[in-house]
Amino acid sequence: MANKRKPNKTTPKRKRQIMEAALSCFNENGFTDTSMQEIRQRAGASYGSVYHHFKSKELLAAAVYLEGLQDYQEGMISLFEKEPGPREGVCEMVRRHLAWVESNASWAKFLINMRHADFMRDAETLIGLRNQEFIPIVGQFLNKHIGEGSIRNLPRDVCISIILGPCQEFTRLWIEGLAFTDMEQAMEQMGESAWQALKPKG
């Protein structure tokens, strides 16, 4: 199991505590049935502290989503900073995705279940900005190895879907308690399957 990543350094400690309390409440009770009072009590924070950081429950939930997304993407980006080879990069993307899910199950559940919630309208612009930073980094890795002939020349969005699409579906099964395959085994098998689909033919 991968070690749980440290909180984002740019997130103040008290703000992070409130978001973690909100995450627990949202996952346990759902967004609609969670009150700011419950979140405040879970965080051990004052009303003033909660409303200083978050003006509404909707903005708090959107911030929780963005915090998890940023943490996930930062872990993935650190992979490409090491300039991995084609097979290593493909397999490690799968491994890092599933390792993050395993180590951050509550956040993974929230990201999966809340992506299309009404409150996410407040976060769409910021999500777009995060993806504008993240996707080109993955694209650079693919472009490099496709150009060298070490990854099949497929559309970049198809490549990303081959690598991470199955991971997302396995994540849904795992979060719902329907996956029966050991996570380590899933990492190895899905990583190898992604590589077999993307390695050059012949």
Side-chain angles (χ1 to χ4, degrees):
M1 179 187 298
N3 292 329
K4 186 173 182 178
R5 289 173 51 75
K6 295 180 180 180
N8 294 320
K9 294 180 180 179
T10 57
T11 304
K13 182 178 180 181
R14 170 54 81 183
K15 185 176 181 180
R16 176 79 181 200
Q17 289 173 337
I18 295 168
M19 286 193 287
E20 289 178 344
L23 175 65
S24 296
C25 291
F26 291 146
N27 279 339
E28 291 172 13
N29 306 320
F31 173 78
T32 302
D33 292 334
T34 294
S35 68
M36 291 291 270
Q37 165 73 355
E38 290 172 311
I39 294 169
R40 183 193 70 77
Q41 291 177 335
R42 180 74 63 95
S46 66
Y47 279 113
S49 179
V50 172
Y51 283 100
H52 169 73
H53 292 293
F54 307 103
K55 303 305 180 186
S56 68
K57 186 172 69 169
E58 289 76 14
L59 290 174
L60 173 52
V64 170
Y65 188 97
L66 286 165
E67 184 81 356
L69 179 64
Q70 180 178 339
D71 194 66
Y72 168 85
Q73 290 184 343
E74 285 180 351
M76 196 70 76
I77 288 170
S78 68
L79 160 64
F80 299 110
E81 292 173 348
K82 300 177 181 179
E83 299 184 354
R87 180 171 185 166
E88 177 190 0
V90 169
C91 292
E92 189 63 17
M93 283 181 70
V94 171
R95 176 170 290 277
R96 290 198 179 205
H97 177 102
L98 294 179
W100 186 88
V101 168
E102 186 176 30
S103 296
N104 299 273
S106 294
W107 238 292
K109 179 179 179 180
F110 189 80
L111 293 184
I112 287 288
N113 291 339
M114 298 297 180
R115 177 62 185 90
H116 300 292
D118 289 342
F119 65 77
M120 289 302 298
R121 288 194 297 267
D122 295 323
E124 289 301 329
T125 299
L126 290 175
I127 291 173
L129 291 173
R130 296 247 188 270
N131 288 335
Q132 285 175 18
E133 296 177 3
F134 174 66
I135 293 175
I137 292 173
V138 181
Q140 289 172 9
F141 163 78
L142 294 170
N143 288 339
K144 176 180 185 294
H145 292 294
I146 288 173
E148 294 174 352
S150 52
I151 287 179
R152 289 178 63 193
N153 188 11
L154 297 173
R156 308 310 185 257
D157 53 351
V158 171
C159 290
I160 294 173
S161 297
I162 288 172
I163 298 168
L164 294 180
C167 292
Q168 292 171 345
E169 183 58 30
F170 187 83
T171 295
R172 290 186 182 91
L173 293 173
W174 189 80
I175 286 172
E176 293 172 7
L178 300 176
F180 53 84
T181 301
D182 176 77
M183 187 65 89
E184 183 67 29
Q185 185 180 359
M187 292 176 192
E188 293 178 4
Q189 293 179 344
M190 294 172 68
E192 181 61 24
S193 295
W195 172 243
Q196 290 300 321
L198 293 178
K199 74 177 184 179
K201 299 301 182 182

